[in-house]
């Protein structure tokens, strides 16, 4: 049972699909339902022991989990060099933009910024394909971005923030370093962002 | 015996995480990764100890019915490493990623590939089955997209409009294929692994992987079948 659950969690997480508790319950069937928490705990310990992955609850209301690596982060990690890398690059650009704007940005501003990088929501991009779908749907489903409509706006405008997976997989400090590297400046150049980034553990 | 095996360290875990995200890796990539992981976590590294390193991980993966397996690509004969599931009785690893009719199309494609002479099925052959699927029919356009997805996910590989099984698929499903296609699926006479693409002796019927043929007959002017000694009629790769 534990090994089945471990495999199930790994497969879901490879696709970056957050795991719902109800999915886990469906997997842990029959008479094992009583020992659900024991099985989940054991699966968690195995994931940590063998894979260096931790089962983290990112939504305590709806009980949704993701797997996060507990290994020390490195620069230029050799993780999957293909169009996944390009997508993560685009994501990094968006996350850093949101952070530099004070942790929240309007969709208009984000698209205007991306337009300057020749990424247009209306056009099919040669690497990213349907960019609007990637950003507004895929990144949101994967919990990298949190996009919510701003009330009382017509036509509706959206607020972009970091999603819970972004918060776990990277940090403000890393994003600031990313921006600093691109602009050829020191992170401390942006005093308020620097203070905020350093304040995080 | 987990008690006696070396401990898992962060270097092993990092190796496992990276291999898992790649799905399958070339031998040279794996060696580089081994070095990188050991250096990162300041663990003893010896360039010829990759197999021991992987064994340690495998001891811990065994209770989970998983294994890092070493295989050979049928195209270039080079070593590949992949993380495979051992507990599969069917194509269960794919089951969570694809719809019922997509899985049926895959099974049909696998049939065509294994039953073929050269280990390939043409796109036309496969697409002809799209509207005969029992689960839910597919239009040809849709089936084309699904085939593309199978290639992206490394279950199939495509060459000149023809499809064969990806090395990762062969490594993952070797047991399943050998038991479900008994009598049809062939093992290579040289390395004894499943051979999807092979050269076959016309006299006695034994088969060999193309890279294995190349190695075995290297620099021989008159190649003969290793089993029945008859003249080997095929071009040596």
């Amino acid at each position: 049972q534990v090994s089945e659950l471990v495999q199930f969690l790994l497969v879901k997480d490879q696709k970056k699909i957050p795991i719902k508790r109800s999915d886990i319950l469906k997997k842990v069937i029959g008479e094992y339902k009583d020992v659900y928490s024991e099985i989940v705990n054991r699966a968690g310990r195995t994931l940590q022991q063998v894979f260096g992955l931790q089962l983290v609850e990112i939504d305590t209301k709806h009980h949704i989990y993701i797997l996060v690596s507990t290994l020390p982060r490195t620069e230029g990690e050799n993780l999957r060099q293909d169009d996944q890398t390009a997508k993560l690059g685009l994501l990094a650009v968006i996350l850093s933009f949101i952070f530099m704007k004070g942790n929240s940005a309007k969709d208009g501003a984000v698209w205007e910024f991306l337009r300057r990088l020749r990424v247009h929501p209306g056009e099919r991009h040669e690497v990213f394909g349907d960019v609007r779908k990637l950003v507004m749907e895929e990144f949101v489903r994967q919990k990298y971005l949190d996009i919510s409509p701003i009330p009382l706006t017509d036509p509706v405008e959206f607020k972009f923030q970091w999603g819970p997976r972004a918060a776990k997989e990277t940090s403000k400090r890393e994003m600031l370093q990313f921006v600093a590297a691109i602009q050829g400046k020191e992170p401390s150049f942006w005093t308020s962002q620097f203070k905020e980034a350093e304040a995080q553990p | 015996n987990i008690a006696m095996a070396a401990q898992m360290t962060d270097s092993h875990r990092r190796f496992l995480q990276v291999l898992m995200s790649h799905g399958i890796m070339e031998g040279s990539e794996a060696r580089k990764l081994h070095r990188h992981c050991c250096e990162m976590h300041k663990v003893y590294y010896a360039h010829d100890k990759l197999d021991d390193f992987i064994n340690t991980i495998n001891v811990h993966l065994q209770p989970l019915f998983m294994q890092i397996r070493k295989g050979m690509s049928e195209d270039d004969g080079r070593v590949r490493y992949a993380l495979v599931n051992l507990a599969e009785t069917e194509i269960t690893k794919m089951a969570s990623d694809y719809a019922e009719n997509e899985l049926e199309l895959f099974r049909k494609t696998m049939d065509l590939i294994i039953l073929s002479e050269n280990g390939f099925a043409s796109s036309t052959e496969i697409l002809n089955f799209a509207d005969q699927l029992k689960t839910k029919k597919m239009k040809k356009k849709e089936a084309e997209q699904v085939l593309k997805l199978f290639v992206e996910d490394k279950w199939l590989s495509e060459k000149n409009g023809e499809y064969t099984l990806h090395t990762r698929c062969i490594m993952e499903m070797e047991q399943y294929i050998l038991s479900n296609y008994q009598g049809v699926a062939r093992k290579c006479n040289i390395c004894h692994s499943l051979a999807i693409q092979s050269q076959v002796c016309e006299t006695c019927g034994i088969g060999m992987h193309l890279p294995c043929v190349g190695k075995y007959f290297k620099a021989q002017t008159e190649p003969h079948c290793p089993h029945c000694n008859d003249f080997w009629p095929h071009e040596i790769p």
Side-chain angles (χ1 to χ4, degrees):
Chain A
Q1 279 288 329
V2 173
S3 60
E4 269 177 51
L5 180 57
V6 167
Q7 281 191 20
F8 172 73
L9 293 172
L10 287 172
V11 168
K12 277 285 173 134
D13 199 70
Q14 280 302 293
K15 302 248 157 186
K16 299 290 174 210
I17 301 171
I19 309 143
K20 297 193 209 112
R21 180 186 275 185
S22 51
D23 293 336
I24 302 181
L25 273 168
K26 261 186 242 163
K27 259 289 156 182
V28 183
I29 51 164
E31 69 262 39
Y32 296 104
K33 266 214 166 64
D34 299 334
V35 288
Y36 164 85
S37 44
E38 180 57 33
I39 294 182
V40 172
N41 282 342
R42 286 205 205 169
R45 282 205 291 275
T46 303
L47 283 167
Q48 175 57 63
Q49 230 294 63
V50 182
F51 294 87
L53 295 171
Q54 193 180 23
L55 192 58
V56 176
E57 194 170 21
I58 53 168
D59 184 334
T60 46
K61 187 163 151 210
H62 301 104
H63 302 297
I64 301 181
Y65 302 85
I66 59 170
L67 293 181
V68 177
S69 172
T70 57
L71 300 179
R73 273 197 289 267
T74 63
E75 224 189 273
E77 183 70 72
N78 175 340
L79 238 42
R80 204 132 194 210
Q81 307 283 14
D82 55 17
D83 55 67
Q84 292 301 316
T85 311
K87 279 187 191 169
L88 290 180
L90 178 65
L91 179 64
V93 163
I94 297 174
L95 290 175
S96 59
F97 180 77
I98 294 171
F99 170 54
M100 299 306 276
K101 284 277 173 215
N103 299 309
S104 154
K106 275 207 208 159
D107 63 330
V110 174
W111 291 120
E112 179 54 43
F113 176 68
L114 290 178
R115 202 158 288 146
R116 281 186 250 148
L117 302 174
R118 304 238 178 89
V119 176
H120 303 271
E123 288 166 22
R124 194 166 179 82
H125 190 271
E126 92 182 289
V127 176
F128 305 124
D130 185 341
V131 184
R132 180 175 285 276
K133 194 167 180 212
L134 173 63
V135 173
M136 309 278 295
E137 288 177 28
E138 195 174 321
F139 285 161
V140 172
R141 187 179 53 236
Q142 294 173 338
K143 304 290 181 185
Y144 280 118
L145 289 179
D146 182 353
I147 299 180
S148 48
I150 301 174
L152 306 175
T153 52
D154 182 29
V156 60
E157 288 173 55
F158 294 94
K159 181 164 82 166
F160 277 47
Q161 289 172 295
W162 284 28
R165 189 190 289 275
K168 292 280 177 209
E169 288 191 12
T170 185
S171 66
K172 292 176 180 176
R173 186 179 293 133
E174 264 182 27
M175 288 294 100
L176 183 57
Q177 279 168 356
F178 177 68
V179 172
I182 293 175
Q183 301 222 19
K185 297 193 168 86
E186 285 298 313
S188 49
F189 177 78
W190 295 271
T191 25
S192 67
Q193 284 92 346
F194 185 71
K195 259 209 301 209
E196 197 185 328
E198 291 302 302
Q200 267 191 341
Chain B
N1 185 341
I2 292 191
M4 307 229 314
Q7 288 280 51
M8 286 283 286
T9 65
D10 277 354
S11 65
H12 297 99
R13 295 180 188 111
R14 187 176 293 278
F15 186 91
L16 188 50
Q17 279 189 25
V18 177
L19 177 61
M20 202 162 51
S21 80
H22 279 77
I24 186 169
M25 248 187 185
E26 258 203 53
S28 55
E29 274 184 294
R31 282 191 290 278
K32 256 191 248 162
L33 181 60
H34 172 216
R35 180 159 149 194
H36 171 78
C37 292
C38 289
E39 281 173 3
M40 243 209 120
H41 296 281
K42 307 205 178 17
V43 169
Y44 171 71
Y45 169 74
H47 71 97
D48 59 346
K49 293 287 183 198
L50 176 59
D51 286 341
D52 286 347
F53 186 81
I54 287 178
N55 273 341
T56 302
I57 301 175
N58 277 339
V59 168
H60 290 83
L61 286 176
Q62 202 195 5
L64 303 171
F65 303 102
M66 294 168 80
Q67 190 187 58
I68 296 178
R69 192 170 274 177
K70 189 168 164 178
M72 178 191 79
S73 162
E74 293 191 335
D75 297 316
D76 56 25
R78 283 208 285 256
V79 169
R80 297 289 195 280
Y81 290 93
L83 183 63
V84 303
N85 291 342
L86 301 173
E88 310 301 289
T89 49
E90 251 199 61
I91 322 179
T92 14
K93 188 169 196 175
M94 296 177 75
S96 57
D97 291 340
Y98 302 99
E100 278 305 316
N101 61 346
E102 292 169 344
L103 290 173
E104 193 190 345
L105 185 69
F106 184 78
R107 281 194 197 95
K108 194 71 227 168
T109 306
M110 194 185 253
D111 282 351
L112 290 169
I113 289 171
I114 294 176
L115 294 167
S116 76
E117 268 204 41
N118 63 351
F120 280 89
S122 74
S123 126
T124 321
E125 278 180 281
I126 302 169
L127 295 178
N128 277 340
F129 278 99
D131 66 349
Q132 288 177 41
L133 294 175
K134 298 196 188 92
T135 42
K136 185 177 161 194
K137 302 192 213 298
M138 255 189 235
K139 295 211 177 68
K140 287 209 161 76
K141 266 270 174 227
E142 198 190 331
E144 256 172 21
Q145 283 301 98
V146 176
L147 284 178
K148 233 175 147 210
L149 218 56
F150 287 146
V151 172
E152 264 176 42
D153 290 346
K154 303 192 180 150
W155 297 110
L156 295 177
S157 70
E158 186 261 336
K159 195 155 94 178
N160 302 328
E162 295 204 310
Y163 293 88
T164 187
L165 300 182
H166 195 283
T167 307
R168 184 249 184 138
C169 179
I170 297 173
M171 286 172 72
E172 183 93 41
M173 300 199 199
E174 180 164 4
Q175 291 317 315
Y176 168 75
I177 293 173
L178 287 172
S179 45
N180 280 49
Y181 293 89
Q182 252 182 47
V184 183
R186 200 174 267 117
K187 273 201 198 182
C188 172
N189 195 259
I190 305 293
C191 71
H192 306 292
S193 292
L194 173 63
I196 298 294
Q197 297 175 54
S198 57
Q199 284 187 357
V200 178
C201 174
E202 292 177 0
T203 312
C204 67
I206 60 121
M208 298 195 271
H209 289 119
L210 278 69
C212 293
V213 169
K215 268 186 236 159
Y216 184 74
F217 288 132
K218 201 170 189 169
Q220 277 187 42
T221 44
E222 279 188 33
H224 290 272
C225 171
H227 191 248
C228 71
N229 215 33
D230 232 24
F231 180 65
W232 192 259
H234 308 283
E235 192 184 325
I236 310 300

